[in-house]
Amino acid sequence: MAGQAAAADNAARIARHVVDNEKGRAERELVPPAQTQQDAETAMRQPEAPTTGLSVSAPSPEPQKPAPEAAEPKRDAQKSGLKANAPAAKDLAVPPLVLSADMARKIGQKIWLNETGGNRNAITSWNANEEFASLGIGHFIWFPLNKWLPFEESFPSLLEFMRKNNAHLPSWLDQPQIPANPWTSKAEFMKDFNSPRMRELRQFLLDNVALQTQFLVERAQGAMQKILKNTPDNAEREHIVTQFARVVRASDDVYPLIDYINFKGEGTNPKETAVDKQTGQRQGWGLKQVLLKMNGTTADPKAVRAEFTDAVRFILQQRVRNIPTNRVFEIGWLRRADTYRRPVGELEPSPKRLRRESSRAMALQ
């Protein structure tokens, strides 16, 4: 347990960097080319900035003003329709996500199956029509030097996390600042696929599946703080934390939460939305939207997992309606969602793979 606590403390320094970049979450999927070109933003690879520790409770509100102005927040709440008796953000304790090393390995194997079908070579990949490598069980993105792209670069953060948790990085990666991707194109990457350094990288990732899972756990924990920061309505924040806590209690392996955040993100980026053709409102598809869809109160684990799965299916099908070009992925998405109904130990070892899309980057709407 002491080792896990130390890992969590070290991991906290990395988690906020992972969460605050848009798309750790970002996923690449089909959207009309005109939409992608019109709205895509660019971001250049930046050196990682030092961060402070990550709290497991929701972010604190603004400091209270002196007594003469103390009534003003109440007036603001009444104007916006917030519940006057809704708890402050500091009172919304988000339950911590903790996994044993053995459970982390099992979940990591399942996420690897979801992403790659369990192909050993696919743990180092470069997808067609993309400008970066996708590595590890979660297909973490790694940019070539000076590449301008609108996605989160998560592989350097993963390596920093692993190094801080005593993993021995390959010597060519173990530098004070994690280097840029040495391959500039898919062609170069594939030409070097069986080189000594590529084989070393694959073996390193295969040997550290559990640690990659713990990285995803830290991201999931930090994702809740980001969701709460981006939810101004106190009543909605309370609802989100309540439903999140139900899923945590119902899933000893917390696999549904870890996988869905890696799969579709937090649901806080306005760019990761699509317009509903009937209402004209923009709708997202991340964890926030799934938790808001849930309304149950039962503590029965099987019922809670089923409710979470049904909410995921609803949100994904809503996205397909709003973005018809995503329909080619619908069956695979729903099959992946159905794995949330049962504990990881009860799932079949290798799901039938349908049409695959990368879930580590999003073509922005």
Side-chain angles (χ1 to χ4, degrees):
M1 293 298 295
Q4 290 180 354
D9 290 340
N10 289 328
R13 302 175 183 174
I14 305 301
R16 186 170 300 169
H17 171 74
V18 177
V19 172
D20 287 339
N21 283 327
E22 289 303 338
K23 178 58 191 166
R25 207 177 358 89
E27 315 154 88
R28 298 172 303 283
E29 286 144 22
L30 296 179
V31 296
Q35 289 181 318
T36 304
Q37 182 174 1
Q38 178 180 357
D39 295 318
E41 297 175 348
T42 58
M44 185 169 70
R45 184 175 189 272
Q46 299 292 336
E48 184 175 355
T51 58
T52 57
L54 178 66
S55 169
V56 298
S57 61
S60 299
E62 294 294 326
Q64 289 189 349
K65 297 180 180 180
E69 301 177 64
E72 186 170 343
K74 184 175 181 180
R75 290 198 301 271
D76 289 342
Q78 291 174 342
K79 178 187 289 187
S80 62
L82 302 182
K83 291 183 179 180
N85 61 352
K90 66 180 180 182
D91 298 324
L92 298 177
V94 178
L97 305 180
V98 180
L99 290 179
S100 67
D102 181 62
M103 185 60 72
R105 279 191 294 272
K106 291 179 180 178
I107 294 175
Q109 290 289 334
K110 180 57 183 170
I111 293 174
W112 180 26
L113 288 170
N114 290 342
E115 290 288 343
T116 71
N119 182 343
R120 290 174 60 89
N121 286 339
I123 207 163
T124 56
S125 62
W126 190 306
N127 295 321
N129 302 317
E130 292 178 349
E131 299 179 80
F132 46 81
S134 298
L135 309 169
I137 64 169
H139 271 194
F140 306 105
I141 290 175
W142 197 17
F143 294 156
L145 184 65
N146 295 328
K147 180 65 68 175
W148 292 69
L149 294 166
F151 310 125
E152 177 217 4
E153 183 183 36
S154 50
F155 187 65
S157 297
L158 169 68
L159 293 181
E160 290 286 6
F161 174 92
M162 297 172 80
R163 180 160 58 186
K164 290 179 188 299
N165 283 277
N166 301 318
H168 297 291
L169 274 60
S171 58
W172 58 280
L173 291 173
D174 194 10
Q175 302 179 25
Q177 181 174 333
I178 300 298
N181 179 349
W183 302 281
T184 61
S185 67
K186 179 178 174 64
E188 283 189 11
F189 183 85
M190 295 308 299
K191 184 178 180 180
D192 206 34
F193 197 76
N194 291 312
S195 66
R197 66 176 173 178
M198 188 80 84
R199 289 198 300 269
E200 182 184 24
L201 177 57
R202 276 196 292 276
Q203 193 60 53
F204 168 74
L205 294 170
L206 291 168
D207 289 342
N208 288 280
V209 169
L211 203 50
Q212 293 174 70
T213 305
Q214 296 291 6
F215 176 75
L216 292 174
V217 170
E218 288 299 323
R219 182 182 176 220
Q221 189 78 66
M224 277 300 293
Q225 291 200 16
K226 186 167 188 180
I227 288 172
L228 294 174
K229 287 178 181 179
N230 284 271
T231 305
D233 188 312
N234 281 350
E236 283 194 350
R237 289 204 298 273
E238 182 181 16
H239 180 93
I240 288 168
V241 172
T242 297
Q243 298 303 329
F244 180 84
R246 289 180 67 223
V247 179
V248 171
R249 289 192 294 267
S251 308
D252 290 339
D253 53 33
V254 294
Y255 160 70
L257 296 168
I258 297 169
D259 186 71
Y260 194 74
I261 291 174
N262 186 58
F263 182 33
K264 294 295 180 208
E266 297 94 342
T268 59
N269 183 1
K271 291 275 185 188
E272 294 178 8
T273 60
V275 175
D276 181 272
K277 295 175 175 58
Q278 292 182 343
T279 66
Q281 297 179 337
R282 300 196 71 87
Q283 297 173 327
W285 46 77
L287 180 65
K288 175 180 178 178
Q289 288 73 36
V290 171
L291 296 175
L292 287 173
K293 180 63 180 174
M294 297 175 66
N295 288 296
T297 58
T298 180
D300 176 68
K302 184 176 180 180
V304 175
R305 290 195 300 266
E307 184 185 353
F308 180 82
T309 302
D310 291 342
V312 167
R313 289 174 64 93
F314 177 89
I315 294 300
L316 293 176
Q317 289 176 312
Q318 173 178 271
R319 170 173 168 165
V320 170
R321 289 194 302 272
N322 294 339
I323 311 176
T325 54
N326 286 178
R327 191 167 300 280
V328 295
F329 305 127
E330 183 177 12
I331 295 176
W333 286 355
L334 298 183
R335 180 167 290 172
R336 182 165 178 168
D338 283 337
T339 66
Y340 304 153
R341 296 187 186 276
R342 293 179 289 165
V344 164
E346 297 179 10
L347 297 174
E348 57 273 10
S350 181
K352 179 181 179 182
R353 294 196 57 75
L354 298 174
R355 181 163 184 158
R356 183 188 179 278
E357 94 294 352
S358 170
S359 64
R360 296 306 304 149
M362 163 68 77
L364 302 179
Q365 302 306 315

